[in-house]
Amino acid sequence: MYTPSDEILNRPKELYELPFYTGLPENPITIDWSCGSMDEFLKLDILTLDGAQPPEEEHWRANKGVLYTDITKESFEIYSKRKAKFQLVSIVVNAYSFRDVKGVIHAKPYNISLFPFSKREKVQYIPIDYLKAISMSEINSRSSIYIGFNPFKKAYGVFSPGGLMTGMNIESDMIGFIDNTFAVVSPFDHNSVTPPFIQDSKIANDFNKYRNRIYFKAFKTLKPRKIWGCDSPIELFLLQAMDYLGLSPMIQTMIGEDGYIASNYHTLWNDKKLRREFKIITEADFYFPEEKLAVFCDSKEFHSSDKAKEKDSLIDKRLDSIGIKSLRIYGKDIVDSPMNCAKRVESVLS
């Protein structure tokens, strides 16, 4: 649960001058998935999380190749025989870059988490009869949020089914917008789950296991499950400043020796075997693909020792060998003035 100690600390005063940094109006809000902060496959993968999940072959056959948001009679019969139970799981988006476009507030995602519905501060399971009686389409038509959702501490706040409330005085990047809700079934057949289309066949098997383990594993505790986004507040601060200058990098990007570029699915890339197979050089906090610039936000805690500096230098040399420039910015400098740091990025890009 969110408490005052779970707030994002050391916020630079400069950021409070940004539009809608605090005090969002009660206008409709939409998440701009078309921005370049993540690769196209990641966007498509997240947007397919709808209705009852995961998509098993048995349901594809029973529904003649079409799966619907609301549960069908055919799927209901399959789940009933299995005595299945469900958890409702929301895709919670933290956003930045709020701007008014003809009365609608547009924003870009900087973090995506999965979070289950709860009752009396415990994870809630629902039976198949209840799932049939409700409308998933209707649930997803509501503008629901979590007030005080900190992805860096995996802390969640008060659930507001009606969206923004009058007089809210909270930093807009601490609001968790529910973009979609899906129903996770247990148990399910891991071997019959139909994965999304993956162009890179080398990663397909590992990615399918990752989806089953992260997207479709039942929640046991009320702890948000982060699947993509900035890893630290200093990254968020720099991102907000860069956006103010019109700079739009990819967030958390894996870079391989052959120029392989992919958004970082956190636990997927924890696999050392997979990193070796793809000859991953590093994970850039921000990456500008057209200009081939990798930006790193280096905290003093992890990057000040001689060993860490030597490691960073080796990474920079390996990136340089494949035509990618590196720019390292210390966390203290970002906290002191994210705008000055963003101007350093702008200078290198130009």
Side-chain angles (χ1 to χ4, degrees):
M1 188 68 177
Y2 171 83
T3 64
S5 63
D6 291 319
E7 294 178 359
I8 296 176
L9 303 177
N10 300 320
R11 288 180 179 273
K13 292 182 180 179
E14 292 176 345
L15 298 181
Y16 285 89
E17 302 300 320
L18 298 178
F20 301 118
Y21 195 73
T22 57
L24 280 174
E26 294 186 62
N27 299 43
I29 295 176
T30 183
I31 302 298
D32 184 4
W33 292 99
S34 65
C35 68
S37 56
M38 65 182 79
D39 63 30
E40 293 301 319
F41 175 70
L42 175 55
K43 295 175 190 175
L44 177 62
D45 183 44
I46 292 171
L47 293 174
T48 58
L49 294 176
D50 193 16
Q53 295 287 336
E56 300 166 280
E57 292 178 6
E58 189 175 8
H59 292 277
W60 284 109
R61 293 194 299 268
N63 291 283
K64 298 180 180 179
V66 180
L67 295 183
Y68 301 89
T69 300
D70 295 320
I71 193 168
T72 63
K73 176 184 176 181
E74 291 76 12
S75 288
F76 176 78
E77 292 176 354
I78 294 172
Y79 288 135
S80 295
K81 291 178 181 177
R82 195 187 303 175
K83 296 182 178 179
K85 57 182 180 179
F86 298 81
Q87 287 182 351
L88 293 180
V89 177
S90 294
I91 300 172
V92 183
V93 180
N94 287 88
Y96 72 106
S97 186
F98 293 85
R99 60 202 184 280
D100 190 330
V101 181
K102 297 180 179 179
V104 176
I105 305 299
H106 289 246
K108 301 177 183 178
Y110 80 83
N111 180 85
I112 300 172
S113 301
L114 301 181
F115 193 57
F117 275 38
S118 63
K119 188 175 183 179
R120 298 186 182 93
E121 290 300 311
K122 291 185 178 181
V123 175
Q124 183 181 22
Y125 281 95
I126 58 174
I128 179 63
D129 292 322
Y130 180 81
L131 184 64
K132 184 183 179 182
I134 65 174
S135 169
M136 294 295 294
S137 301
E138 182 179 342
I139 290 174
N140 286 326
S141 67
R142 303 170 187 168
S143 299
S144 302
I145 63 172
Y146 283 96
I147 304 168
F149 196 96
N150 186 342
F152 307 117
K153 292 190 175 182
K154 295 188 176 180
Y156 60 95
V158 178
F159 177 68
S160 174
L164 295 171
M165 297 182 293
T166 303
M168 277 181 52
N169 187 25
I170 186 173
E171 289 84 356
S172 51
D173 54 26
M174 284 282 288
I175 299 173
F177 297 91
I178 297 181
D179 187 74
N180 201 10
T181 297
F182 59 99
V184 175
V185 63
S186 4
F188 67 89
D189 183 357
H190 285 245
N191 296 319
S192 74
V193 176
T194 306
F197 174 71
I198 302 176
Q199 290 181 327
D200 195 333
S201 59
K202 290 191 299 181
I203 205 173
N205 188 51
D206 292 285
F207 182 69
N208 292 341
K209 291 179 181 177
Y210 162 84
R211 293 181 95 239
N212 289 349
R213 186 176 69 251
I214 303 301
Y215 293 2
F216 309 134
K217 183 179 179 180
F219 280 80
K220 294 183 178 180
T221 63
L222 291 179
K223 187 177 181 180
R225 201 174 282 170
K226 181 176 178 177
I227 57 176
W228 172 86
C230 292
D231 273 341
S232 67
I234 58 173
E235 293 174 22
L236 172 61
F237 300 157
L238 180 59
L239 177 65
Q240 291 166 323
M242 289 191 294
D243 178 77
Y244 182 76
L245 298 182
L247 308 180
S248 301
M250 290 181 65
I251 297 174
Q252 296 297 336
T253 305
M254 309 304 296
I255 303 175
E257 287 183 354
D258 60 354
Y260 178 81
I261 300 294
S263 287
N264 176 18
Y265 292 75
H266 286 262
T267 58
L268 172 65
W269 289 105
N270 286 346
D271 188 332
K272 293 181 179 179
K273 178 177 175 292
L274 188 66
R275 294 175 77 103
R276 287 196 301 269
E277 183 179 352
F278 280 82
K279 298 180 179 179
I280 297 298
I281 297 175
T282 190
E283 172 190 343
D285 296 321
F286 303 110
Y287 184 63
F288 294 86
E290 292 186 8
E291 297 87 350
K292 290 191 173 183
L293 173 65
V295 179
F296 301 90
C297 301
D298 291 347
S299 65
K300 183 178 180 180
E301 180 180 2
F302 295 107
H303 295 269
S304 59
S305 68
D306 291 339
K307 185 177 180 180
K309 291 177 180 178
E310 183 179 351
K311 180 181 178 181
D312 290 342
S313 177
L314 178 60
I315 289 173
D316 294 345
K317 289 177 182 177
R318 292 178 67 189
L319 289 175
D320 185 65
S321 70
I322 60 172
I324 295 177
K325 299 184 291 292
S326 298
L327 176 60
R328 295 187 176 275
I329 303 176
Y330 285 110
K332 182 181 182 302
D333 294 336
I334 295 173
V335 172
D336 287 345
S337 177
M339 290 301 175
N340 285 343
C341 294
K343 289 174 183 177
R344 285 179 58 190
V345 178
E346 185 180 45
S347 177
V348 175
L349 289 171
S350 61

